[in-house]
Amino acid sequence: MFSRILIANRGEIALRIIRACHELGVEAVVVFSQADKDAEYVKLADEAICIGPPAAAQSYLNIPRIISAAEIADVEAIHPGYGFLAENAHFAEICRECGITFIGPSPEAMYRLGDKVSAREIARNARVPVVPGSDGEIADENEAIKIANKIGYPVIIKAAAGGGGRGMRVAHNDISLHGAFAAARAEAEAAFKNGTLYIEKYILQPRHVEVQVLADKASNALHFYERDCTIQRRHQKLIEESPCPVLDEATREELCKAALRLVQEAEYVNAATVEFLLDRDKNFYFIEVNARIQVEHPVTEMVTGHDLIKWQLKIAAGQTLDLRQKDITHNGVALECRINAEDPRRNYAPCPGTITKFIAPGGMGVRVDTHVHQGCVVSPYYDSMIAKLIVHQRTREEAIATMKRALREFRIEPIKTTIPACLEILSHHLFIKSDVDTSFIEQKMG
Ligand code: MV4
């Protein structure tokens, strides 16, 4: 195991990684921006290095400053957390050149899966169902129209360099496809400096289901079952759960095995999430791979009992996954609500400010992952997520009841949060019977 690593992140995930390090006897060095200089979690680190002003471009996204900190602190590895540099293959490459272990996949695997056209090809080679669509990139509008007429409308045009919902356009006929193609190309060029596009059949009313996977350097790959992340707004997840409440055992096993074939085909190492769309007929289609630990990983930790961050560290340090798939069991139901400093009544506008009152819930089956506390300042510079409330119970009904009880116990003042929105969703009859798709919040909530 490493003796000392650097955490190139902030907030709750930095604290989550510090905790895993200390349980493994690893020293944790954090970098922080001027905006985070008084953060309590920074004091828990074995060493803390200020890397610049609040703006992420000059701190948490600044590769030279992070590498300098790693050199000064003399660490063996860097954990990138999620967001910021977590899926930056160039950063992983620089770490390698500097002799620092990147706690994540190889740059090659990141390039292979970061490009969605390439990821689709890997999925097809691994006999993983992909959404019907183009075999590779589409050269021009004429080719797009040809494929659209073959697979049938509606279709969706996506950017190869996209993901997370950016650079996508839906078209319902040849005429709208012209505009959609031009808009998607312009957006992809501007956002990713890569105009490569591909086309897929547009799946109506899908659910978002993803499989948690770990793979080690000895080519062992194991899945830790699925999470259902259908409840999201503008590609920001709000409530996640495991298991997916609508999957039967046979489909679930197929889905999880498909995810394993994909990461093995990609020669992927470390934690990954393989994302699928699930249609109303329970067909699943691969859409993309997240080559990082995700925000919602605690949901999987609760139902499997495995610490995924510790596994990331062990795998990066060269340990093998000394587990058998049949010994990874799934118990009960876990739910996660994201507590964001946002005002759901004002179109979820960010609500930064000082927290004068903070009382977290507790009790049986409740986990709170947060770096905030009474008296702390929620900065406007970063993501608005301030806490994750996770519950674990024997049944979905009990998990919903525990979550509602815990959300009502939570006291966060005076800033507005997503707590009322989460409570509203948890009481909605369609959520309760799990009759939802990815448009649920926009379509069914005020
Ligand atoms: C789709 C789709 C329907 N059909 N692809 C959005 C984010 C990116 N990960 C993929 N996304 C979608 N791809 C096909 N062929 C609908 C979405 C989508 C979506 C997917 C998952 C979760 C929420 C979503 C919200 C809107 C659209």
Side-chain angles (χ1 to χ4, degrees):
M1 181 45 66
F2 306 115
S3 54
R4 193 170 161 85
I5 73 156
L6 182 128
I7 300 166
N9 214 301
R10 62 174 302 281
E12 74 85 19
I13 193 65
L15 175 55
R16 172 74 187 83
I17 300 163
I18 292 171
R19 286 172 170 156
C21 285
H22 287 170
E23 289 182 21
L24 290 171
V26 175
E27 288 184 352
V29 179
V30 293
V31 291
F32 63 95
S33 76
Q34 283 159 11
D36 291 325
K37 69 176 173 43
D38 297 321
E40 284 296 323
Y41 72 87
V42 168
K43 299 171 193 158
L44 282 180
D46 298 281
E47 188 177 341
I49 300 174
C50 185
I51 49 165
Q58 293 173 69
S59 52
Y60 301 105
L61 285 172
N62 191 296
I63 295 174
R65 288 180 183 194
I66 289 168
I67 295 289
S68 301
E71 301 280 10
I72 289 164
D74 195 25
V75 298
E76 298 158 74
I78 298 182
H79 195 308
Y82 52 68
F84 296 124
L85 298 171
E87 290 182 277
N88 187 317
H90 174 64
F91 177 60
E93 228 161 36
I94 290 173
C95 288
R96 180 194 278 167
E97 284 164 14
C98 296
I100 301 165
T101 302
F102 177 77
I103 302 173
S106 67
E108 292 77 17
M110 284 167 100
Y111 284 122
R112 279 197 284 278
L113 295 171
D115 180 310
K116 275 47 185 188
V117 168
S118 155
R120 267 169 71 82
E121 190 181 327
I122 291 167
R124 272 194 302 268
N125 291 340
R127 296 170 292 106
V128 171
V130 298
V131 189
S134 51
D135 277 344
E137 71 169 290
I138 38 172
D140 53 32
E141 280 182 47
N142 292 334
E143 194 184 348
I145 287 172
K146 214 184 287 170
I147 296 165
N149 283 284
K150 198 170 85 195
I151 62 180
Y153 285 101
V155 297
I156 184 165
I157 300 170
K158 296 183 177 181
R166 293 173 309 160
M168 310 189 318
R169 285 287 186 288
V170 178
H172 293 272
N173 50 54
D174 287 358
I175 295 167
S176 71
L177 185 57
H178 281 282
F181 187 92
R185 177 142 284 174
E187 199 173 309
E189 296 270 14
F192 318 116
K193 299 178 189 78
N194 174 357
T196 309
L197 300 177
Y198 64 107
I199 191 166
E200 286 177 353
K201 177 136 186 105
Y202 184 60
I203 306 296
L204 296 165
Q205 302 180 308
R207 298 179 77 105
H208 172 127
V209 183
E210 57 186 32
V211 178
Q212 177 68 54
V213 171
L214 288 176
D216 68 17
K217 293 175 185 175
S219 303
N220 300 301
L222 296 167
H223 74 75
F224 291 71
Y225 302 94
E226 80 287 5
R227 296 182 288 261
D228 187 314
C229 308
T230 302
I231 303 298
Q232 51 79 51
R233 180 185 168 275
R234 298 192 181 170
H235 308 294
Q236 292 298 315
K237 294 163 187 165
L238 196 57
I239 301 179
E240 302 100 340
E241 61 185 293
S242 186
C244 168
V246 303
L247 271 190
D248 59 77
E249 266 314 310
T251 311
R252 184 188 201 200
E253 190 171 329
E254 259 188 79
L255 177 84
C256 294
K257 284 184 170 165
L260 286 182
R261 287 199 302 277
L262 201 158
V263 297
Q264 293 200 296
E265 181 74 25
E267 295 182 35
Y268 187 96
V269 174
N270 218 280
T273 299
V274 185
E275 291 190 5
F276 297 89
L277 296 178
L278 187 69
D279 72 12
R280 296 195 69 88
D281 301 324
K282 312 285 156 73
N283 298 304
F284 61 82
Y285 308 94
F286 164 73
I287 49 170
E288 52 194 73
V289 175
N290 298 128
R292 61 168 190 275
I293 193 74
Q294 287 192 276
V295 173
E296 60 271 27
H297 76 275
V299 165
T300 299
E301 295 185 325
M302 299 317 284
V303 292
T304 64
H306 283 278
D307 185 319
L308 295 171
I309 306 287
K310 281 190 195 169
W311 272 122
Q312 283 195 292
L313 291 162
K314 290 178 191 171
I315 290 168
Q319 296 184 23
T320 52
L321 279 160
D322 52 354
L323 285 171
R324 287 169 212 271
Q325 187 66 59
K326 70 168 173 52
D327 296 328
I328 302 170
T329 54
H330 189 294
N331 292 302
V333 173
L335 283 178
E336 174 178 274
C337 283
R338 296 195 191 186
I339 315 301
N340 302 336
E342 292 172 359
D343 188 352
R345 307 247 169 276
R346 284 188 190 165
N347 201 29
Y348 292 81
C351 249
T354 300
I355 296 177
T356 57
K357 184 165 188 166
F358 186 90
I359 305 170
M364 188 169 172
V366 175
R367 167 175 172 182
V368 182
D369 277 20
T370 185
H371 64 293
V372 311
H373 52 85
Q374 204 143 304
C376 89
V377 179
V378 178
S379 163
Y381 287 96
Y382 312 111
D383 191 274
S384 60
M385 193 182 75
I386 55 171
K388 304 188 297 203
L389 175 54
I390 306 107
V391 304
H392 184 211
Q393 279 292 6
R394 296 163 69 95
T395 66
R396 187 167 188 269
E397 198 181 346
E398 291 170 294
I400 292 172
T402 300
M403 182 62 90
K404 286 165 73 171
R405 182 274 288 172
L407 285 165
R408 289 185 187 121
E409 268 182 37
F410 224 139
R411 288 283 169 275
I412 304 176
E413 295 174 12
I415 62 171
K416 294 275 187 285
T417 73
T418 45
I419 289 173
C422 289
L423 275 168
E424 223 179 299
I425 294 164
L426 293 165
S427 298
H428 198 287
H429 70 283
L430 292 175
F431 177 81
I432 292 166
K433 65 173 177 170
S434 221
D435 183 8
V436 297
D437 62 61
T438 55
S439 69
F440 174 78
I441 294 180
E442 278 101 340
Q443 304 272 314
K444 305 289 171 28
M445 304 306 298

